[in-house]
Amino acid sequence: MRILNKLVFGITFLCLSILRSFAQTAHNPIIYADVPDMSIIRVGDTYYMSSTTMHMSPGVPIMKSKDLVNWKIVSYAYDILDDTDDLNLNNGQSSYGKGSWASSLRYHNGIYYVSTFAGNTGKTYIYTTRDIEKGPWKALSFKPSLHDHSLFFDDDGKVYMIYGSGRIMLAQLKNDLSGIDTDTKPRVLIENASLVAGPNLGLPAEGSQMFKINGKYYLFNISWPRGGMRSVLIHRADNITGPYEGRLALQDKGVAQGGLINTPNDQWFAYLFRDFGSVGRVPYLVPVKWEDGWPILGIDHQAPDSIALPANKSLMPGIVSSDDFSRKPGDRDLPLVWQWNHNPVKQLWSVRQRRGYLRLITGRLDTTLVAARNILTQRTFGPECSAITAIDVSGLKEGDHAGLALLQQKFGWVGVKVENGNKFIVMVNAQGTLPVTSASIPLTRKLVYLKAVCDFKDRTDKAYFYYSLDGSNWVPIGSMLQMAYTLPHFMGYRFGLFNYATKATGGYADFDFFRLINNISSHH
């Protein structure tokens, strides 16, 4: 018996050890969702990350992690970037794929800095706060727009931005960061940073991120050789002004653009991202070891599928989340997982007018989903995901269209339209040149359940739509949507709740809940 006990104990111990070692394995992508252009800092034992959401509001999400693997959104740098026609979706203009691009996140002398830039406004923006999670944020902006810049505080008290494409520039900022220092002219840092990537240049070196480690300056860039893949370039110098020597640091799976981060016990990683089809651009972590003062990225020059960090947990509720729209006094109107497509119109939405519902009210006439204001969005995520909502459509007016969308240039949606006084459940597919209504079914009830399903496995990138009259029996509707990551949107697909008018304004749709599921098998 004692031998048996010992054996059982031994096997149990072995199993626990295996489990424990398995639990210390994280998998790439670290976040299987659209989180591009990351900038990561560590303050004590806490990591913060900023990312790009361009035309969305609020913008520049700030995410927090204790282990580099599992993240949650804790803040945004701004509510709206600027008050312009294109950012407001006004007068036929939009800022799809524009708005704020790659950000730079820094912590210096007790203050957090997030800087970004926007081509459509021609400005560089710097946001500051003492409390990165609770704010408030102070905003500064100046011209010109410094492309893909890295904000950098040097040890001598000078503040710089490193920026540019191909030719990398160094500009010293005024002490109060209100603009480029007028006494010093921006100077060329590296005339042709793309050279180290080889002769066939496609995309010139950009995405600058500067780090100072053990007295040396390290500049990360990305380049894309023609017919090749996105590649990591690193330049190194003893002085910030150079001279710089460069090398190709990683060329695998197109994993590129980012920088360096270390753990409190001095494990080093490069944070990078990968174009991953219609789900968007997904973050990767790549182990780093140091040789002769150079960071060596990857394992045998490859971005591994797994890394020695704690296991990935669910993206819910930190990055995406279900929502029943019930708000207690003191709650935020919208949890941080939500972003509006473009700047919202405050008086045309509410989670308080009708308890437990999101109400979207129309305020003008539009002809298509991508022109509609106040689309409330969340990221889709891989490898599979589904979203379900229920809409009370009794407040819709003639010509209204309301429902659940998968938002990108080649969008699809399932919802309700009102035509000649009658309501119809419709599915609209915009994967071709023009949106096509591929199904229309008469609706006589005021409540309808809608579902959108995404299959991103092996970049299948297929979406399917369903409706239900009771919330449990689902009926497929319309055609399969072949999702595609396209410009100008420049963003992974988003789930979107919407209501737009084509004939008369003032109609409203009441969304009872938004429910996310991390698989598709139970429906499809």
Side-chain angles (χ1 to χ4, degrees), residues 15-299:
C15 290
L16 280 173
S17 306
I18 291 166
L19 274 172
R20 199 169 291 124
S21 67
F22 183 71
Q24 284 300 310
T25 303
H27 293 280
N28 279 316
I30 290 298
I31 300 173
Y32 202 150
D34 192 56
V35 182
D37 306 331
M38 304 92 72
S39 180
I40 299 182
I41 57 170
R42 177 171 62 81
V43 180
D45 65 351
T46 305
Y47 305 93
Y48 293 103
M49 167 166 72
S50 63
S51 174
T52 297
T53 52
M54 295 175 287
H55 47 276
M56 296 281 170
S57 292
V60 190
I62 310 295
M63 305 175 191
K64 173 188 181 180
S65 175
K66 287 289 190 181
D67 59 12
L68 270 179
V69 176
N70 298 290
W71 297 85
K72 69 173 184 182
I73 304 172
V74 292
S75 184
Y76 287 93
Y78 61 77
D79 277 333
I80 70 165
L81 177 71
D82 239 316
D83 186 8
T84 58
D85 273 355
D86 64 327
L87 288 162
N88 291 330
L89 267 179
N90 262 344
N91 295 323
Q93 297 188 48
S94 79
S95 55
Y96 286 114
K98 300 193 286 276
S100 64
W101 281 10
S103 54
S104 183
L105 178 60
R106 294 285 178 258
Y107 179 67
H108 181 70
N109 290 347
I111 297 176
Y112 294 89
Y113 298 81
V114 177
S115 61
T116 183
F117 69 104
N120 55 322
T121 64
K123 291 189 218 171
T124 297
Y125 300 80
I126 301 178
Y127 301 92
T128 56
T129 185
R130 287 193 172 271
D131 187 338
I132 193 169
E133 296 185 39
K134 300 205 170 60
W137 294 83
K138 282 201 305 222
L140 277 174
S141 64
F142 58 84
K143 294 193 168 185
S145 168
L146 300 181
H147 179 81
D148 273 13
H149 65 251
S150 180
L151 181 63
F152 186 77
F153 294 88
D154 211 349
D155 298 334
D156 60 5
K158 291 179 178 164
V159 191
Y160 299 96
M161 277 188 174
I162 298 94
Y163 63 98
S165 175
R167 172 192 279 180
I168 303 301
M169 305 290 293
L170 176 75
Q172 189 175 332
L173 298 186
K174 295 176 186 170
N175 290 339
D176 64 0
L177 308 190
S178 62
I180 295 175
D181 182 50
T182 40
D183 302 333
T184 60
K185 229 174 79 176
R187 58 189 290 168
V188 177
L189 205 58
I190 306 170
E191 181 60 52
N192 182 1
S194 321
L195 270 179
V196 290
N200 290 325
L201 188 61
L203 176 78
E206 58 175 31
S208 291
Q209 292 201 29
M210 176 73 87
F211 305 88
K212 189 175 189 178
I213 299 160
N214 295 333
K216 286 193 190 299
Y217 297 84
Y218 296 88
L219 177 64
F220 273 60
N221 290 102
I222 174 190
S223 163
W224 199 332
R226 208 178 293 287
M229 67 178 77
R230 299 164 74 254
S231 310
V232 182
L233 317 178
I234 301 178
H235 287 80
R236 181 181 83 172
D238 293 322
N239 298 297
I240 191 159
T241 52
Y244 283 83
E245 52 173 330
R247 51 166 67 175
L248 178 65
L250 185 69
Q251 202 169 54
D252 180 46
K253 303 183 187 81
V255 173
Q257 191 163 336
L260 291 169
I261 191 75
N262 68 340
T263 65
N265 61 4
D266 215 36
Q267 270 180 288
W268 286 85
F269 294 92
Y271 56 87
L272 306 161
F273 70 82
R274 179 182 186 184
D275 293 327
F276 220 49
S278 66
V279 78
R281 298 179 289 170
V282 299
Y284 263 61
L285 284 175
V286 172
V288 168
K289 57 181 196 286
W290 290 86
E291 279 175 20
D292 304 325
W294 284 96
I296 308 299
L297 272 56
I299 293 169

Side-chain angles (χ1 to χ4, degrees), residues 329-344:
D331 282 355
R332 296 179 59 92
D333 274 2
L334 290 173
L336 294 168
V337 290
W338 291 110
Q339 282 176 292
W340 296 102
N341 179 35
H342 290 65
N343 294 346

Side-chain angles (χ1 to χ4, degrees), residues 356-491:
Y357 288 81
L358 165 73
R359 175 166 289 182
L360 296 180
I361 307 155
T362 64
R364 67 160 188 214
L365 306 186
D366 284 302
T367 55
T368 179
L369 177 77
V370 288
R373 289 188 295 187
N374 286 11
I375 303 179
L376 189 59
T377 79
Q378 283 197 44
R379 291 168 178 81
T380 58
F381 55 96
E384 304 173 333
C385 62
S386 313
I388 299 171
T389 190
I391 317 186
D392 180 336
V393 294
S394 50
L396 295 185
K397 288 192 171 178
E398 179 68 29
D400 283 0
H401 297 64
L404 170 64
L406 283 168
L407 180 64
Q408 231 274 4
Q409 187 182 25
K410 296 177 183 294
F411 61 82
W413 62 263
V414 60
V416 174
K417 75 168 181 188
V418 187
E419 196 169 44
N420 301 325
N422 297 310
K423 294 188 178 76
F424 298 88
I425 306 170
V426 293
M427 186 267 159
V428 174
N429 187 320
Q431 75 182 47
T433 42
L434 287 172
V436 174
T437 302
S438 71
S440 183
I441 295 151
L443 175 69
T444 52
R445 307 170 180 226
K446 70 173 195 176
L447 190 70
V448 63
Y449 299 83
L450 309 170
K451 181 193 296 175
V453 165
C454 302
D455 183 358
F456 298 114
K457 286 190 313 292
D458 307 318
R459 301 208 200 179
T460 306
D461 291 353
K462 287 178 165 46
Y464 307 89
F465 296 86
Y466 301 80
Y467 74 93
S468 172
L469 298 176
D470 60 8
S472 55
N473 295 297
W474 292 99
V475 184
I477 183 170
S479 50
M480 183 270 293
L481 172 70
Q482 184 61 58
M483 295 182 284
Y485 185 95
T486 60
L487 305 179
H489 283 224
F490 210 176
M491 188 177 279

